[in-house]
Amino acid sequence: MHYIKNIANLLLVCYIGCMKTIIFASNNKDKISQVKKYFPNYNVVGLKEYGIDIDIPENEDTFEGNACVKAKTIHDMTGECVLADDSGICLDYFDGWPGVHTHRFLGENSTEHQRNQYILEKMKNLNGKDRTCRIICVIAVANNGKVKSYTGEYVSKIATKEFGENSFGFDDIVEFRDDPTKNLACLSDEEKLKINARSLALQQAIKDLEK
């Protein structure tokens, strides 16, 4: 039995070794896990797993700009196929704020809960259409010296309070548009994979890569 297990492990290592590597330019475990689900036939690795320790500034004015800079930087360093993303929430009443500043508008060390509470307080006197929002994710793919980008968007409304058990990012303040009594944090990972902005962008990217 021990011999059989060793053979199985060896075959698994050989299989993974034959798979094309895709570097996902992130160290966020939740994001990496999601990308792996969309690219089961590739060896998807994060930056640390690949052995890269680098902080790429996100100074561009658009999600696309930030994602493309990250993808191109890592692709130029490694020659591997690289995916990178930039995402955020855009509040329509405030002309798309915080947008590309989503993760930094309260400072680099702010928590998801602090950002969510700030938004809820900022919108506490708004109702109906004034609470509409868009979650945007851009996936950039750098491969063979070229960079392409793909955009996913989820349109909904900001809820009036945080709730739900399966939260990531702004899930617990964004309504599930098919049922306003729920928010995205009330959905399972499988349900989120069908509708969230990152998934919509990844679906486009995988179709293009598989060509």
Side-chain angles (χ1 to χ4, degrees):
M1 182 63 70
H2 183 68
Y3 174 76
I4 293 174
K5 286 184 178 179
N6 286 340
I7 293 296
N9 289 336
L10 179 61
L11 290 173
L12 178 61
V13 170
C14 291
Y15 173 70
I16 293 175
C18 292
M19 296 168 69
K20 180 176 176 59
T21 294
I22 290 180
I23 301 174
F24 183 53
S26 174
N27 289 313
N28 185 302
K29 293 181 179 179
D30 290 321
K31 289 184 180 182
I32 295 170
S33 176
Q34 189 174 55
V35 173
K36 286 178 181 287
K37 293 178 181 179
Y38 274 92
F39 294 85
N41 298 321
Y42 294 82
N43 177 33
V44 178
V45 296
L47 292 177
K48 287 184 179 178
E49 189 177 357
Y50 194 85
I52 297 174
D53 183 11
I54 185 174
D55 183 19
I56 304 172
E58 298 182 9
N59 298 325
E60 300 298 317
D61 295 330
T62 63
F63 296 117
E64 180 182 16
N66 283 328
C68 288
V69 165
K70 288 188 285 187
K72 185 178 186 304
T73 298
I74 303 302
H75 179 59
D76 289 347
M77 288 174 57
T78 65
E80 300 279 11
C81 178
V82 178
L83 270 67
D85 83 324
D86 193 34
S87 60
I89 192 167
C90 302
L91 307 178
D92 294 328
Y93 186 83
F94 298 104
D95 299 320
W97 177 91
V100 293
H101 305 293
T102 289
H103 301 291
R104 298 176 296 279
F105 73 85
L106 282 183
E108 294 287 348
N109 297 320
S110 61
T111 66
E112 291 178 354
H113 175 69
Q114 288 171 332
R115 293 192 291 268
N116 288 346
Q117 285 297 310
Y118 186 94
I119 287 175
L120 290 177
E121 179 65 20
K122 191 177 181 72
M123 302 186 73
K124 66 181 181 181
N125 296 321
L126 301 179
N127 300 298
K129 292 182 179 179
D130 289 341
R131 300 189 71 86
T132 57
C133 66
R134 292 167 293 121
I135 298 177
I136 297 175
C137 178
V138 175
I139 295 289
V141 180
N143 195 28
N144 298 322
K146 298 179 180 179
V147 183
K148 295 184 67 173
S149 63
Y150 310 85
T151 302
E153 183 176 62
Y154 184 80
V155 180
S156 188
K157 290 183 179 180
I158 297 295
T160 56
K161 62 181 180 180
E162 285 184 289
F163 62 98
E165 299 297 325
N166 189 23
S167 179
F168 177 67
F170 295 91
D171 287 353
D172 48 9
I173 64 168
V174 176
E175 290 182 356
F176 176 42
R177 62 186 175 211
D178 292 338
D179 183 356
T181 65
K182 297 180 180 179
N183 61 19
L184 297 184
C186 295
L187 305 182
S188 66
D189 289 339
E190 290 71 23
E191 290 172 315
K192 290 183 187 181
L193 282 175
K194 297 177 182 178
I195 64 169
N196 71 20
R198 181 169 292 102
S199 294
L200 296 175
L202 285 169
Q203 288 170 24
Q204 299 173 60
I206 185 65
K207 286 181 181 179
D208 207 358
L209 279 174
E210 288 182 340
K211 293 178 182 179

